[in-house]
Amino acid sequence: MSQIFQTAKGVHDILPEDHEFHTFIKKVIRHRGRQAGFRRISTPIFEYTDVFVRSIGEGSDIVTKEMYTFEDKKGRSLTLKPEGTAGVVRSYIQNGMNQWPQPVLLYYFEPHFRYDRPQKGRYRQFWQFGFEIIGESDPALDAQLIQLANAIHKDLGIAHIFELQLNTIGTKESRKDYVGTLQDYYAGKERSLCEDCKVRINKNILRLLDCKEEDCRILAELAPPMKDYLDKESREFHDELKEYLDEIGVKYVENPKLVRGLDYYSKTVFEFWDKNEGAQNAVGGGGRYDGLIEIMGGQSTPAVGYAAGVDRLIANMKREKVRVPSKDELHVFVAQLGREAKKKCLVLIDRLRNSGIKTMGALGKGSINIQLKLADKFKVTYTVLIGLTEVREGTAIIRNMKKGTQEKVKMEKVVDRLIKLIGEQNLDKYTPGEVSTQ
Ligand code: AMP
């Protein structure tokens, strides 16, 4: 027997039913993004590996364990993008976006790749959308970004299940003292740490604070609090952000242990957690990354961003029984008998589709009965039947599949009659907008 192929481990198909969710989410993102002045960017699926190593940080979980890295035929090291911000920042610098009006507001909706341990809500190819505000530093921007995320969750019908976790990790400078304090605190406690944290302790000690393992969590609880070590500027920035969030009515939980995994964050960090599942299945997160553009070779430029996982949003929407509008259902099925009838069908189908009527033609050789059964399976309300008699008369039969009634209509009247029956407002009118040449 020949081999039946399966998807590679950790990846999955997006079948039509899930695409209805994808399409809906994309629409919400586009709409909310545009309202706030964001424009879409797509960076390549792969970049030079250094783009990610330099930005995300050598000690991060992503860089040490999760990247899909390969060499091209000339021996260049390339990596499939594991997150969105690094590529956007690379593009900002490469394309001289510092010359654009600041801040530059960009959003993306793209697949990402991580060699993660596959489990519920954790895949090796997953979709993320994200928003980046580059070129201006003000806690009001952080507040607006969080407000935008909230609006999106509301539009998706799942805002009530999330809790915003908020923290500040201060500037890189102000963290130096704290990192020293943490090293002293953890000295001699290495044996109690999980295997990952035994590595993190030397590479990225802050990550020990938000490890999910029980023993690590207990140690983290007792660790000296980061806020005691932050500089005045970072603390004031954070206080101002909280004032703005209060003003716009955004609820948050202060979480002094939230650090997020990537090296590039400074000051604000936040995540949206499922109220029931906590950190395990965070649906999105972000923060301020004021130092990143300089690290990547650009001029010192402040920035703040937010990204969320589409697969996890969809899982949450399904769990909450959210239904999205489906535009896939067909209006009309066209059935025919004989070659002459088929010719008439081909012309009619084209006219129907151009009028916004979603139409499927049964153009095979089955009997009318078989074709009607098929029409039932596709759940269309109307079937148009054209047989030998109808060809001779220049007519067609319109059958209401739900009521079992039918009427004979002149061929040239079929489209108008169906528009009336379906209703103008239900048509799938295609309006690409006007194009022009200079
Ligand atoms: P992160 O930048 O790691 O916080 O990722 C942002 C969001 O992307 C997460 O909150 C998840 O919703 C989603 N995400 C990250 N990794 C995965 C994965 N392996 N599979 C599915 N979704 C993911």
Side-chain angles (χ1 to χ4, degrees), residues 62 82-83 114 116 121-128 260 262 264-265 271-272 281-286 307-313:
I62 291 184
E83 59 94 53
R114 289 185 199 170
D116 240 327
R122 198 163 284 283
Y123 308 105
R124 290 182 173 172
Q125 175 178 339
F126 56 96
W127 288 74
Q128 266 188 352
R260 297 200 29 87
L262 324 178
Y264 57 59
Y265 287 114
E271 274 182 6
F272 286 93
N281 270 325
V283 81
V310 174
D311 311 78
R312 283 194 200 166
L313 284 169

Side-chain angles (χ1 to χ4, degrees), residues 416-434:
D416 285 345
R417 180 68 186 139
L418 278 168
I419 290 176
K420 206 163 203 169
L421 288 169
I422 293 163
E424 280 277 351
Q425 72 284 5
N426 297 321
L427 299 179
D428 193 7
K429 286 272 192 193
Y430 173 58
T431 46
E434 264 186 49

Side-chain angles (χ1 to χ4, degrees), residues 56 101 324 408:
I56 302 168
V324 293
K408 196 168 255 197

Side-chain angles (χ1 to χ4, degrees), residues 57-242:
E58 261 175 285
S60 64
D61 283 359
I62 291 184
V63 170
T64 52
K65 296 190 293 195
E66 297 171 0
M67 297 208 302
Y68 277 93
T69 298
F70 57 97
E71 280 190 1
D72 70 5
K73 291 186 195 306
K74 287 268 166 68
R76 305 174 187 100
S77 181
L78 301 170
T79 294
L80 300 185
K81 59 177 163 191
E83 59 94 53
T85 303
V88 172
V89 165
R90 193 262 315 127
S91 178
Y92 178 92
I93 299 168
Q94 181 176 344
N95 293 295
M97 291 187 205
N98 59 346
Q99 300 302 315
W100 298 9
Q102 306 290 303
V104 175
L105 306 172
L106 299 168
Y107 78 95
Y108 59 83
F109 193 105
E110 306 271 315
H112 293 82
F113 306 84
R114 289 185 199 170
Y115 194 74
D116 240 327
R117 198 171 335 126
Q119 49 185 292
K120 183 174 146 257
R122 198 163 284 283
Y123 308 105
R124 290 182 173 172
Q125 175 178 339
F126 56 96
W127 288 74
Q128 266 188 352
F129 63 80
F131 295 88
E132 315 285 358
I133 305 178
I134 309 178
E136 207 168 271
S137 174
D138 195 294
L141 294 173
D142 306 30
Q144 280 198 322
L145 198 59
I146 290 171
Q147 192 180 28
L148 176 65
N150 259 354
I152 290 167
H153 296 158
K154 277 198 191 111
D155 290 349
L156 301 182
I158 47 175
H160 60 286
I161 64 174
F162 300 129
E163 199 168 67
L164 170 62
Q165 303 275 319
L166 183 68
N167 193 21
T168 175
I169 57 170
T171 57
K172 203 162 188 151
E173 279 305 306
S174 76
R175 279 201 302 269
K176 277 192 184 135
D177 275 353
Y178 182 59
V179 166
T181 307
L182 272 190
Q183 278 160 347
D184 291 345
Y185 169 74
Y186 278 104
K189 299 187 177 73
E190 291 87 348
R191 268 186 303 133
S192 313
L193 297 171
C194 73
E195 289 310 309
D196 280 344
C197 282
K198 281 184 185 138
V199 179
R200 287 175 187 144
I201 196 166
N202 296 317
K203 297 195 162 176
N204 197 352
I205 198 164
L206 280 182
R207 283 308 309 275
L208 269 56
L209 294 179
D210 71 357
C211 178
K212 321 281 182 297
E213 295 296 327
E214 183 71 22
D215 287 349
C216 300
R217 270 201 352 232
I218 294 168
L219 280 179
E221 278 304 319
L222 301 170
M226 178 156 33
K227 68 174 183 349
D228 295 353
Y229 292 81
L230 297 185
D231 60 329
K232 188 159 169 276
E233 185 207 330
S234 299
R235 273 186 280 127
E236 282 176 358
F237 191 95
H238 196 58
D239 288 341
E240 202 175 325
L241 167 61
K242 288 190 290 183

Side-chain angles (χ1 to χ4, degrees), residues 324-436:
V324 293
S326 166
K327 295 202 167 168
D328 287 349
E329 283 118 26
L330 290 165
H331 292 127
V332 169
F333 196 85
V334 180
Q336 46 73 37
L337 204 64
R339 189 188 285 203
E340 289 310 308
K342 204 183 283 186
K343 286 182 193 163
K344 302 283 175 219
C345 279
L346 285 173
V347 177
L348 178 64
I349 287 171
D350 191 47
R351 284 176 52 216
L352 289 169
R353 288 178 181 163
N354 284 331
S355 306
I357 298 175
K358 289 177 277 182
T359 308
M360 177 151 159
L363 299 173
K365 293 199 173 57
S367 69
I368 285 280
N369 260 349
I370 290 177
Q371 293 182 40
L372 284 178
K373 279 196 186 126
L374 204 55
D376 259 342
K377 283 194 185 144
F378 279 103
K379 297 194 177 85
V380 292
T381 313
Y382 300 101
T383 298
V384 177
L385 295 151
I386 304 176
L388 297 178
T389 319
E390 287 71 34
V391 172
R392 211 174 331 110
E393 293 174 352
T395 59
I397 293 169
I398 298 178
R399 186 178 172 83
N400 183 319
M401 302 296 287
K402 307 250 152 86
K403 295 187 185 151
T405 54
Q406 59 185 48
E407 58 185 299
K408 196 168 255 197
V409 181
K410 282 246 159 253
M411 189 56 115
E412 60 274 16
K413 294 269 162 54
V414 173
V415 175
D416 285 345
R417 180 68 186 139
L418 278 168
I419 290 176
K420 206 163 203 169
L421 288 169
I422 293 163
E424 280 277 351
Q425 72 284 5
N426 297 321
L427 299 179
D428 193 7
K429 286 272 192 193
Y430 173 58
T431 46
E434 264 186 49
V435 291
S436 62

